[in-house]
Amino acid sequence: MRPTAAEEARTLVAEGRVAMLATLTADGGPWASLIVYATLPDGTPVLSVSELAEHGRNLQRDPRASLAIAATGGDGDPLATGRVTLAGAVEVAGDDEIGDAYHGFADFTRYVLRIERIRWVGGYARMDSPSVADYRAAEPDPVAPAAAGAVRHLNADHADALLDMARALGGHPEAAAARCERADRYGLDLAVTGPDGRAWARVDFAAPVSAPDGLRAATVELARRARAT
Amino acid sequence: MRPTAAEEARTLVAEGRVAMLATLTADGGPWASLIVYATLPDGTPVLSVSELAEHGRNLQRDPRASLAIAATGGDGDPLATGRVTLAGAVEVAGDDEIGDAYHGFADFTRYVLRIERIRWVGGYARMDSPSVADYRAAEPDPVAPAAAGAVRHLNADHADALLDMARALGGHPEAAAARCERADRYGLDLAVTGPDGRAWARVDFAAPVSAPDGLRAATVELARRARAT
């Protein structure tokens, strides 16, 4: 069991703070720039846009916009990193909709991006285009804020438990080593080294985790189950 | 003395490996996505583009493209981070031009971006639009690969020397503390805390540094000069 594309996209947007914005110049060409954003509870991004910046003038002229958000903290192959593109059109945000999602600066306009299309890429082989309805309905992964720390801890201090998991639960009984590459609410992705080289394994938690502090207990249960198998 | 906007832009492009690409969809809308790139000696980016990806199909239809590249490693305010936008049009790269700048993947096309316009933003108050000729002629800062490590080292082990610099050479004789925020070939940017609150100070090296391993000697000379003043 894995997060759906809609959940992956919602999680990337919820976890991010900086995005790249694509807008249209006066002659209809593309313009890429950096922007900070906040996220409303339904996954709608709120952009804080300087009217003095080129992208601010672009949006006043043509509201079409696209945001690209990449997972942070990856220090490996950037093309193996999760990222998502949202495309649609911006509208000036009303206070009733965004509340205090952004305490604006002077000379900044707050826009909401009305999403029309979504493309998620999880790495080389995982990609999908979730519907906007599915995206809005999906819950961001509650363990995402704790996942990077948990992965580091597992690799630093629990290599034996990871190897047990790969052998007993991950379908690699002859594994010689296992490294955790990613944790989400449903389980762990392991990179396994064995007699046939490197492979990926997925091990699922007994039940989906619903809060960041549930990740530890779910991982301990996985390790016990692997040892007992 | 500071790096020019052209030098700052060249340095950001030379140091980066991942960029956000803005292209045009079939209906002329903007599309933001992540891409990896290499840089030719004159600062021309070489993009490795999957023809299966939406941005690959976009570029086959309309070669107009824009790249946004942000400084890496900043863990503070993202709007205080240096970033640059390059805009122009792509052409399929010839082997004679790019040599081995990219060993391509299968299904990937290598494009060069012919830059027509450049926008550099160094943070809240520093920004400029260097000409393409100046950009091409500028040298990427040779100390950039070593700068982040040098800044960490100065702050961890040489707070006294930084304070001496701020007081004697940075125009803040009443400074109580100083932190290095940035190093470039021409000198250091210091964040100074004093009786009037926080301020910025710039201290210049005796001469521009021409290689990464020259940063240490230049900084030691600065510290000696500050102590002797």
Side-chain angles (χ1 to χ4, degrees):
Chain A
M1 188 166 184
R2 288 183 166 283
T4 63
E7 287 175 318
E8 296 273 15
R10 275 300 301 268
T11 301
L12 283 168
V13 175
E15 287 294 294
R17 190 171 153 229
V18 179
M20 285 294 176
L21 173 70
T23 54
L24 297 175
T25 59
D27 58 1
W31 186 256
S33 56
L34 180 135
I35 200 162
V36 295
Y37 72 97
T39 309
L40 298 181
D42 71 350
T44 297
V46 182
L47 318 180
S48 190
V49 175
S50 168
E51 295 166 33
L52 306 173
E54 177 136 357
H55 57 218
R57 298 194 302 273
N58 288 348
L59 290 174
Q60 286 181 330
R61 201 188 306 110
D62 190 320
R64 286 180 290 175
S66 176
L67 280 186
I69 296 159
T72 51
D75 48 2
D77 179 349
L79 289 186
T81 300
R83 64 263 192 194
V84 61
T85 296
L86 309 175
V90 297
E91 283 175 19
V92 174
D95 280 343
D96 53 331
E97 179 174 10
I98 64 170
D100 56 0
Y102 246 117
H103 295 285
F105 303 90
D107 300 323
F108 277 68
T109 301
R110 295 179 298 177
Y111 287 104
V112 289
L113 177 66
R114 302 291 178 216
I115 303 169
E116 292 160 19
R117 205 151 62 85
I118 301 166
R119 181 71 177 165
W120 163 75
V121 180
Y124 282 101
R126 301 179 64 213
M127 53 190 73
D128 204 350
S129 300
S131 74
V132 176
D134 286 349
Y135 170 86
R136 290 169 65 104
E139 187 187 16
D141 191 329
V143 312
V151 168
R152 273 196 302 275
H153 171 66
L154 284 169
N155 287 323
D157 298 338
H158 299 287
D160 289 356
L162 294 172
L163 183 55
D164 289 343
M165 293 178 203
R167 286 174 170 167
L169 308 173
H172 291 273
E174 308 205 338
R179 229 186 112 69
C180 184
E181 296 288 334
R182 190 167 180 274
D184 57 60
R185 68 186 310 184
Y186 302 110
L188 306 178
D189 284 321
L190 306 180
V192 178
T193 311
D196 301 326
R198 278 172 62 91
W200 287 93
R202 173 75 185 180
V203 288
D204 288 349
F205 296 139
V209 179
S210 58
D213 59 6
L215 197 48
R216 191 175 172 284
T219 309
V220 168
E221 190 280 332
L222 252 188
R224 283 214 188 100
R225 185 150 40 100
R227 229 174 13 247
T229 302
Chain B
M1 190 168 183
R2 287 184 167 283
T4 64
E7 287 175 318
E8 295 272 17
R10 276 298 301 269
T11 302
L12 283 168
V13 175
E15 287 294 295
R17 190 171 154 229
V18 180
M20 285 296 176
L21 173 70
T23 54
L24 298 176
T25 59
D27 58 0
W31 186 256
S33 56
L34 179 134
I35 201 162
V36 295
Y37 71 97
T39 310
L40 297 181
D42 70 350
T44 298
V46 182
L47 318 180
S48 190
V49 175
S50 168
E51 295 166 32
L52 307 173
E54 176 136 357
H55 56 219
R57 298 194 302 274
N58 288 348
L59 289 175
Q60 287 182 329
R61 202 186 307 111
D62 190 320
R64 286 180 289 175
S66 176
L67 280 185
I69 296 159
T72 51
D75 48 1
D77 179 349
L79 289 185
T81 300
R83 64 264 192 193
V84 61
T85 295
L86 309 174
V90 297
E91 283 175 20
V92 174
D95 280 343
D96 53 330
E97 178 173 11
I98 65 171
D100 56 359
Y102 246 116
H103 295 285
F105 303 90
D107 300 324
F108 276 68
T109 300
R110 296 179 298 178
Y111 287 105
V112 289
L113 177 67
R114 301 290 177 216
I115 303 170
E116 292 161 18
R117 205 151 62 86
I118 301 166
R119 180 69 176 166
W120 165 75
V121 179
Y124 282 101
R126 301 179 65 213
M127 55 190 71
D128 204 351
S129 300
S131 74
V132 175
D134 286 351
Y135 169 86
R136 291 169 65 103
E139 187 186 16
D141 191 330
V143 312
V151 168
R152 274 195 301 275
H153 170 66
L154 284 169
N155 288 324
D157 299 337
H158 299 288
D160 289 356
L162 293 172
L163 183 55
D164 288 343
M165 291 178 203
R167 286 174 170 168
L169 308 173
H172 292 271
E174 308 205 338
R179 227 186 114 69
C180 184
E181 297 287 334
R182 190 166 180 273
D184 57 60
R185 68 187 309 183
Y186 302 111
L188 307 178
D189 284 321
L190 306 180
V192 178
T193 311
D196 302 325
R198 279 172 62 91
W200 287 94
R202 173 78 185 179
V203 289
D204 288 349
F205 295 138
V209 179
S210 57
D213 60 5
L215 197 49
R216 188 173 174 285
T219 309
V220 168
E221 189 281 332
L222 252 188
R224 284 214 186 98
R225 184 151 40 102
R227 229 174 13 247
T229 302

